[in-house]
Amino acid sequence: DGGITQSPKYLFRKEGQNVTLSCEQNLNHDAMYWYRQDPGQGLRLIYYSQIVNDFQKGDIAEGYSVSREKKESFPLTVTSAQKNPTAFYLCASSIGSRERSNEQFFGPGTRLTVL
Amino acid sequence: GEDVEQSLFLSVREGDSSVINCTYTDSSSTYLYWYKQEPGAGLQLLTYIFSNMDMKQDQRLTVLLNKKDKHLSLRIADTQTGDSAIYFCAERRAAGNKLTFGGGTRVLVKP
């Protein structure tokens, strides 16, 4: 089955610790995205990557870091510099072409709670 | 203010039609999307419309786009209890592949 997987589903972290969220896709998509969702709010873009070994900051990149060493994988690290990291994190991917509808497909999400 | 706005809540009776509205501000939007999110889950793409279209129909879903007023709507015919969820509209601007999401409309379907 083709799709996007995120792990773990639930993650607990102590204050001051870094934590890495996994996102893998087997859709052969070039572009991948990380969003943050807070209760009762829409999605805000953290980082995105249009192609392997390249990524750009989104609207709320401070306190986060990413890497894109493989096409299939786009891990997100929430660092201790992120002031309020408790949220639901969603990963998405898309074909990446500007000429097409380029709809984004989402993973099931990781809920991060800082204790 | 928000670039993409939606009303917060919609209550509808089972079997009736639901209409979820969305307004956006960027006239360069190329594609507009509707997503559905069930509790604790990711977003599921429902449908999308290209900016040079006025309407798109897909089974029970009808999307209407008024580009002059920058208004997008999603109509769900014969609403079922399984349609209870949060619905997000999103716009894609001409500059790239990023999406800007609205805050979501929570739809509650009453039996």
Side-chain angles (χ1 to χ4, degrees):
Chain A
D1 285 337
I4 305 173
T5 57
Q6 292 185 242
S7 61
K9 188 169 176 65
Y10 299 97
L11 189 56
F12 297 89
R13 189 194 92 174
K14 291 183 180 178
E15 275 194 50
Q17 290 181 337
N18 293 355
V19 64
T20 298
L21 282 60
S22 168
C23 178
E24 304 276 332
Q25 54 97 2
N26 60 4
L27 300 168
N28 199 32
H29 284 170
D30 282 321
M32 296 186 75
Y33 313 81
W34 273 106
Y35 293 91
R36 170 185 171 133
Q37 185 178 27
D38 292 287
Q41 297 188 31
L43 279 66
R44 292 184 290 168
L45 183 65
I46 305 172
Y47 267 98
Y48 64 104
S49 168
Q50 309 260 38
I51 200 165
V52 175
N53 292 321
D54 185 52
F55 50 83
Q56 287 83 39
K57 292 181 179 180
D59 300 320
I60 55 165
E62 186 175 348
Y64 300 97
S65 65
V66 293
S67 62
R68 187 84 188 278
E69 297 175 3
K70 297 188 299 181
K71 188 175 186 178
E72 303 79 21
S73 179
F74 190 40
L76 172 75
T77 297
V78 184
T79 75
S80 56
Q82 169 50 234
K83 297 284 188 277
N84 185 19
T86 294
F88 190 48
Y89 290 87
L90 288 159
C91 178
S93 71
S94 69
I95 290 174
S97 168
R98 296 189 180 192
E99 302 303 316
R100 300 173 61 175
S101 56
N102 197 39
E103 54 266 45
Q104 293 184 17
F105 296 92
F106 283 79
T110 293
R111 186 167 300 280
L112 173 64
T113 303
V114 174
L115 303 172
Chain B
E2 293 287 331
D3 291 336
V4 181
E5 292 192 357
Q6 300 178 238
S7 53
L8 285 176
F9 185 73
L10 175 67
S11 179
V12 62
R13 289 179 59 184
E14 189 175 14
D16 289 349
S17 292
S18 310
V19 179
I20 307 166
N21 294 302
C22 173
T23 58
Y24 59 99
T25 57
D26 195 319
S27 58
S28 73
S29 295
T30 57
Y31 286 88
L32 295 121
Y33 307 82
W34 282 103
Y35 285 88
K36 175 184 180 182
Q37 185 180 35
E38 299 189 15
L43 272 65
Q44 173 194 352
L45 178 68
L46 292 177
T47 187
Y48 62 88
I49 188 167
F50 186 46
S51 59
N52 70 351
M53 297 171 64
D54 298 324
M55 186 182 86
K56 180 178 180 181
Q57 187 156 2
D58 184 0
Q59 298 183 339
R60 292 192 297 124
L61 304 178
T62 303
V63 179
L64 295 178
L65 176 60
N66 182 329
K67 198 170 182 181
K68 173 177 171 290
D69 293 338
K70 300 187 185 67
H71 182 266
L72 180 75
S73 68
L74 175 69
R75 179 177 178 269
I76 305 173
D78 187 24
T79 310
Q80 303 298 307
T81 54
D83 295 324
S84 290
I86 302 175
Y87 291 80
F88 292 94
C89 66
E91 63 168 349
R92 176 185 166 199
R93 297 173 182 175
N97 290 324
K98 294 192 295 180
L99 298 185
T100 301
F101 285 84
T105 299
R106 184 179 295 273
V107 174
L108 176 63
V109 181
K110 296 182 178 178

